[in-house]
Amino acid sequence: MSYFFPALQAEWLKVRKSKVIRITAVVFTIAPLMAGFFMIVLKNPEFANSSGLLRAKAQFAGEADWTSYLRLHAQIIAVGGILVFGFVTSWIFGREYADRTAKDLLALPYSRAVIVIAKFIASFITNILLSAYVVTLGIIIGWIIGLPLWSSAIFVHGLSILLVVTFITISLSTPVAFIASYGGGYLAPLGFVILTVVLSQIVAVTGFGDYFPWAIPAIFSGLTEGGGVLSFNSLFIIIITSLLGIFSTLYWWIFADQH
């Protein structure tokens, strides 16, 4: 345990000093800005009618109220979060190979399991903070726009959906850590992330989204019919997928010098 906190502190220092994470936060800012813009389009019928295709895309978000606005944020995290959270995870694990510091880490007098767990916790904290930043900014934008139908019940319900979507989406980024470690860099995990996003859209359309881990957050967020309900089977699939990512990464790092 005495080695764990220094390892976690080192990983967190890497995150704090990283320009990559800051750029990721800036890029993720586009999400609440676009959500707010869609609400503005829906609130102004004259502008919406003159905008043609833009109006059609905005109508996908629903009505210009807090219920639709919070649901839209959940959908953004469900889909965009797979990309963002996966990118953060691939950077935290893959950078050691890209920067050729993996051998240095393996030579430290720490358990390799401690290093991996510290990286997973640093990744989890970073992704939670990115989500909190996006949601907070989105709420501020919603207040500035003056969206109607605000109530504590609507806010609590919307926020609970957001929290669940955030946690399950982050948990699905653990296999990315294994791909980054196995592939020895960024390209393989980023390709994997893009593949999961594409496949989740295809599988969801076919009606089998409840059985594909990366499609489940979008379904739960309300992007498709039956949203807001997380079945036991879906939860079980997410847990198994997350655990497989964690244990496969642990195995790879512990036995890395044998490969």
Side-chain angles (χ1 to χ4, degrees), residues 50-192:
S50 64
S51 59
L53 182 61
L54 181 61
R55 176 175 178 268
K57 291 185 177 294
Q59 285 182 331
F60 175 77
E63 303 293 331
D65 55 38
W66 278 101
T67 300
S68 297
Y69 187 59
L70 293 173
R71 183 173 64 246
L72 180 59
H73 275 75
Q75 294 167 0
I76 288 171
I77 291 179
V79 179
I82 293 177
L83 291 170
V84 174
F85 303 152
F87 176 76
V88 169
T89 304
S90 68
W91 177 83
I92 289 177
F93 283 86
R95 70 179 299 274
E96 305 296 352
Y97 296 92
D99 296 343
R100 299 184 178 181
T101 56
K103 293 182 179 179
D104 298 329
L105 283 178
L106 296 176
L108 291 174
Y110 293 175
S111 168
R112 295 177 183 180
V114 168
I115 296 173
V116 172
I117 293 172
K119 284 184 173 293
F120 272 123
I121 292 178
S123 174
F124 178 80
I125 294 173
T126 304
N127 288 330
I128 285 291
L129 290 177
L130 285 172
S131 299
Y133 161 70
V134 167
V135 173
T136 302
L137 180 60
I139 292 172
I140 293 173
I141 292 174
W143 279 109
I144 293 174
I145 296 173
L147 292 175
L149 302 181
W150 164 270
S151 72
S152 58
I154 289 176
F155 180 74
V156 170
H157 176 72
L159 191 60
S160 64
I161 297 293
L162 274 167
L163 287 173
V164 174
V165 169
T166 299
F167 278 108
I168 62 177
T169 306
I170 290 175
S171 68
L172 291 172
S173 66
T174 59
V176 178
F178 170 71
I179 300 297
S181 302
Y182 182 81
Y186 306 121
L187 293 181
L190 291 179
F192 175 78

Side-chain angles (χ1 to χ4, degrees), residues 1-11 114 118:
M1 198 66 176
S2 60
Y3 291 136
F4 173 73
F5 290 106
L8 181 58
Q9 186 178 19
E11 293 301 326
V114 168

Side-chain angles (χ1 to χ4, degrees), residues 35-48 54-65 68 72:
F37 180 67
F38 283 159
M39 292 296 111
I40 292 175
V41 171
L42 292 173
K43 278 191 67 179
N44 297 272
E46 294 182 359
F47 176 71
L54 181 61
R55 176 175 178 268
K57 291 185 177 294
Q59 285 182 331
F60 175 77
E63 303 293 331
D65 55 38
S68 297
L72 180 59

Side-chain angles (χ1 to χ4, degrees), residues 60 71-72 74-76 78-79 161 165 199-212 214-230 234:
F60 175 77
R71 183 173 64 246
L72 180 59
Q75 294 167 0
I76 288 171
V79 179
I161 297 293
V165 169
L199 288 179
S200 65
Q201 305 303 310
I202 297 173
V203 174
V205 170
T206 62
F208 294 97
D210 289 334
Y211 303 99
F212 187 70
W214 292 273
I216 294 173
I219 294 173
F220 179 76
S221 69
L223 198 58
T224 61
E225 293 183 5
V229 178
L230 189 63
S234 296

Side-chain angles (χ1 to χ4, degrees), residues 186-258:
Y186 306 121
L187 293 181
L190 291 179
F192 175 78
V193 169
I194 294 172
L195 179 64
T196 57
V197 172
V198 173
L199 288 179
S200 65
Q201 305 303 310
I202 297 173
V203 174
V205 170
T206 62
F208 294 97
D210 289 334
Y211 303 99
F212 187 70
W214 292 273
I216 294 173
I219 294 173
F220 179 76
S221 69
L223 198 58
T224 61
E225 293 183 5
V229 178
L230 189 63
S231 67
F232 174 80
N233 290 337
S234 296
L235 181 60
F236 180 75
I237 290 171
I238 290 172
I239 292 173
I240 292 299
T241 303
S242 180
L243 290 177
L244 282 174
I246 293 172
F247 287 115
S248 60
T249 306
L250 279 168
Y251 178 85
W252 178 260
W253 276 71
I254 290 172
F255 298 102
D257 56 343
Q258 299 182 16

